[in-house]
Structures are given as structure tokens and as C-alpha cells.
Amino acid sequence: MKKNYLLWAVTALIMLALQSCNNGKTYAEMKEEEADAINKYILENDIKVISEADFAAQDSTTKENEYVLLDESGVYMHVDNRGAGQAVLGDGTYDMVARFVEVALQTRTDLGMTAGDTLLANFHVANPSYTIKGEDFKLTISGDSYSASFTRNDSYSMYGMYKTVAVPSGWLIPLRYLKPGRTSDAEKIARVKLIVPHSEGTSSATQSVYPCFYELTYNMTR
């Protein structure tokens, strides 16, 4: 009887913890607040949202201040440059480097985060080369499956900050449409802006339920 009571008590505590994260808010409430933050950012920045059909009709490009909503993931993407490559990457394994800025889109007092805060970045003005001191990762493509792992760990890296080798799935989605190549010309490097919901973000964003804005470049190292 005592064991059953202990098991019930532990189960109740787990259920309570799952239902009462972020100062007593449910997961559904946190998702709703995240959606509100994303919509606020879109409205405040006069962003025009287009459909995937319109995006395809524009040869996977976007116009000024135009973002495509990728329905399956909920990611919004603006394409600044598709890249210097000849074609979208096919099946295989690739050594890649990214440079990025990660910005909070939601104020979260429980996380000490204010909308507009730069959370992490490796755009080093003093070092314009896009082939070194970036976010190195190994990308594997097999059919519709995209996976990637970070290969460098320092204070400016996602790996170093969030203690995980997994590349956020939101970072991989643009690679279905871009043509990254090997170039040192910053004007030719694949470049996008993203609005990424927690489900496609970093391990921290996924666990705490908050969206981020990213500016990202992609280049191949070999």
C-alpha cells in the first residue's frame, strides 16, 4: 500500500511539473503566446507573407520584405541569395559552415529575455572570411531526410552555447531551396532570414517554448 501511494505521489508530481511550466502556464498557452509574438513581429516589420505556391512560381526566391510560410514546419523564410552553387544539394554528405545572428522574438521574464535581444551570433566584423570561424557542421541528405551535426565547440558556437551537437531543424529547411557553393565572395554566399518557432529551433527554444529570428549564411568548406 505504501509503495502504491509513493508511486501515485511521484506520478502526480511529474504531471504537475508538465502542466505548470513557465509560471503556471500550460504548453498550449505558451504556444499561443509564441504565435502572438511571431505575428507581432510580422506586423511591426510590414512583412508580406506569401504561400509556398507563390514561392515556387518565383523560382524559390522572395522579393523585398517578403517571407514564404513553410506550412509543415511553421518557419517563415526570406531568401536574400540562393548561393553560388549550380543546383540544390542532392543526396550525400557535405561539410558546411554557417554564420548567424540569433535574436529573441518574445519577452520572457522567466528566462531573462527581451524581444529584440541578440542571444548568440558569430558574424565577426573583424574577420570577413566566411570559410573560417563560422558554425561548422556536417550535413547528410538522403531523399527528403536532412540531418546535421555541429563539429566545432567554442564560446561563439551553437554547440558550445547549447551543449548539443544537433543542428536546429529550422536551419536545415532552407537547404531544400538554396544552392550553396564554395566561395569567399560574400555577395555570392547563400543567405536567408528566418522566423523559427520553438519546434524547429535550438534545444533551449524547444524546451522553453520561444521563437527566434535568424540571419544565416551557408557555405561549403570542401
Side-chain angles (χ1 to χ4, degrees), residues 77 99 102 113 119 123 128 143 150 163 202:
M77 176 175 68
R99 288 163 65 87
E102 179 187 51
M113 178 190 299
L119 304 180
F123 274 113
F150 292 125
K163 310 304 180 187
T202 64

Side-chain angles (χ1 to χ4, degrees), residues 15-140:
M15 293 297 292
L16 181 62
L18 291 173
Q19 291 293 324
S20 60
C21 54
N22 188 26
N23 295 327
K25 293 176 182 175
T26 66
Y27 178 59
E29 290 171 330
M30 294 167 71
K31 284 180 64 178
E32 184 175 350
E33 290 184 352
E34 175 187 51
D36 289 342
I38 290 173
N39 290 332
K40 180 180 179 183
Y41 180 83
I42 290 171
L43 288 172
E44 289 180 345
N45 289 276
D46 296 320
I47 291 171
K48 179 183 178 181
V49 179
I50 64 172
S51 68
E52 291 183 66
D54 289 337
F55 180 60
Q58 295 175 184
D59 192 26
S60 299
T61 61
T62 53
K63 300 174 184 177
E64 185 177 358
N65 219 37
E66 190 176 71
Y67 282 63
V68 56
L69 171 58
L70 303 168
D71 290 322
E72 185 175 349
S73 63
V75 169
Y76 295 80
M77 176 175 68
H78 172 79
V79 179
D80 281 328
N81 195 322
R82 294 191 72 189
Q86 297 299 309
V88 174
L89 300 178
D91 287 4
T93 300
Y94 305 90
D95 291 313
M96 308 289 295
V97 61
R99 288 163 65 87
F100 72 97
V101 175
E102 179 187 51
V103 179
L105 291 184
Q106 184 178 359
T107 296
R108 288 283 299 274
T109 55
D110 58 315
L111 300 176
M113 178 190 299
T114 301
D117 285 351
T118 296
L119 304 180
L120 194 62
N122 69 6
F123 274 113
H124 300 298
V125 176
N127 176 23
S129 173
Y130 280 73
T131 58
I132 58 175
K133 291 189 178 179
E135 195 71 40
D136 299 315
F137 64 93
K138 189 173 290 292
L139 168 69
T140 300

